[in-house]
């Protein structure tokens, strides 16, 4: 007799600032319906929201988003003349100071941030190490946020799909053995 397994659910979150904030509402609706993802993947703002959810910090993050003012946004701007208009360091410093940077492999829900190699154009799955560094690599946007370095390679997240390939490939199972 064959055992029927519960289907595994992957949540893929895309980029775009306004859409990113709406991800919070989608996650809330899924929670209310009793639907819990087995794996979360995201690119750009979707990586940020997905990481916060996987870390169990969605309530605090949502409160920060709701209280965010234009003056707060302006205070995170750090102009750069190389690689992008903004460095992104002030924003990342805020997250380092006000949120815990856990190793991705220690998050409550398996998580991956998706980025693109600027050398090859290949999709890169960031599945271990610093959650903040993975999110920083994924939110980099050509011409706007400076690219990040990951394993000596310049990467950014603005050109990626929201992680659908990794959620399909892994099918939520053992997170592709993290290899």
């Amino acid at each position: 007799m064959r055992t029927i397994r519960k289907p595994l659910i992957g949540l893929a979150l895309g980029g775009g600032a306004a859409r990113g904030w709406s991800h919070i509402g989608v996650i809330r609706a899924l929670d209310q319906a009793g639907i819990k993802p087995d794996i979360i993947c995201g690119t750009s703002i979707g990586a940020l929201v997905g990481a916060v959810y996987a870390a169990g910090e969605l309530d605090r993050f949502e409160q920060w988003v709701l209280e965010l003012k234009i003056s707060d946004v302006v205070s995170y701007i750090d102009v750069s003349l190389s690689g992008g208009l903004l460095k992104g360091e002030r924003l990342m410093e805020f997250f380092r100071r006000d949120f815990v940077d856990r190793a991705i492999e220690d998050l409550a829900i398996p998580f991956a941030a998706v980025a693109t190699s600027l050398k090859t154009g290949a999709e890169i799955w960031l599945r271990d190490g610093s959650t903040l560094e993975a999110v920083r690599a994924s939110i980099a946007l050509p011409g706007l946020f400076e690219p990040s370095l990951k394993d000596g390679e310049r990467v950014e997240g603005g050109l990626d799909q929201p992680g659908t390939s990794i959620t399909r490939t892994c099918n939520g199972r053992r997170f592709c053995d993290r290899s």
Side-chain angles (χ1 to χ4, degrees):
M1 180 173 178
R2 240 172 75 160
T3 304
I4 298 175
R5 291 193 295 194
K6 171 188 159 245
L8 297 174
I9 298 169
L11 180 60
L13 304 172
R19 183 181 311 137
W21 302 139
S22 70
H23 290 329
I24 297 169
V26 169
I27 291 168
R28 295 285 186 215
L30 290 171
D31 277 346
Q32 287 176 355
I35 299 170
K36 305 284 186 204
D38 297 292
I39 181 175
I40 302 169
C41 302
T43 192
S44 194
I45 195 72
L48 176 59
V49 174
V52 168
Y53 180 54
E57 297 276 356
L58 191 63
D59 291 337
R60 204 156 62 94
F61 181 74
E62 181 179 24
Q63 192 61 42
W64 174 74
V65 169
L66 292 171
E67 294 172 359
L68 197 60
K69 299 177 191 72
I70 295 293
S71 61
D72 296 323
V73 174
V74 171
S75 75
Y76 299 129
I77 294 175
D78 49 359
V79 178
S80 168
L81 299 176
S82 64
L85 181 60
L86 305 173
K87 289 181 191 177
E89 287 305 313
R90 286 187 186 163
L91 180 62
M92 297 320 303
E93 184 53 40
F94 162 78
F95 283 113
R96 280 186 199 95
R97 185 182 65 242
D98 289 11
F99 290 86
V100 175
D101 182 17
R102 295 179 181 95
I104 291 173
E105 48 275 47
D106 293 338
L107 297 176
I109 303 170
F111 168 78
V114 181
T116 299
S117 163
L118 291 179
K119 182 178 179 181
T120 65
E123 181 177 277
I124 298 172
W125 299 344
L126 306 170
R127 301 180 285 158
D128 55 31
S130 164
T131 300
L132 281 178
E133 292 304 316
V135 168
R136 171 64 180 89
S138 189
I139 66 171
L141 187 64
L144 183 58
F145 280 109
E146 284 185 354
S148 278
L149 283 176
K150 179 69 175 166
D151 299 327
E153 188 172 358
R154 290 168 55 102
V155 299
E156 61 75 42
L159 302 175
D160 291 314
Q161 297 297 320
T164 54
S165 61
I166 189 171
T167 53
R168 277 194 314 268
T169 300
C170 293
N171 193 22
R173 303 215 190 282
R174 294 190 46 154
F175 205 48
C176 291
D177 298 324
R178 293 195 187 271
S179 56

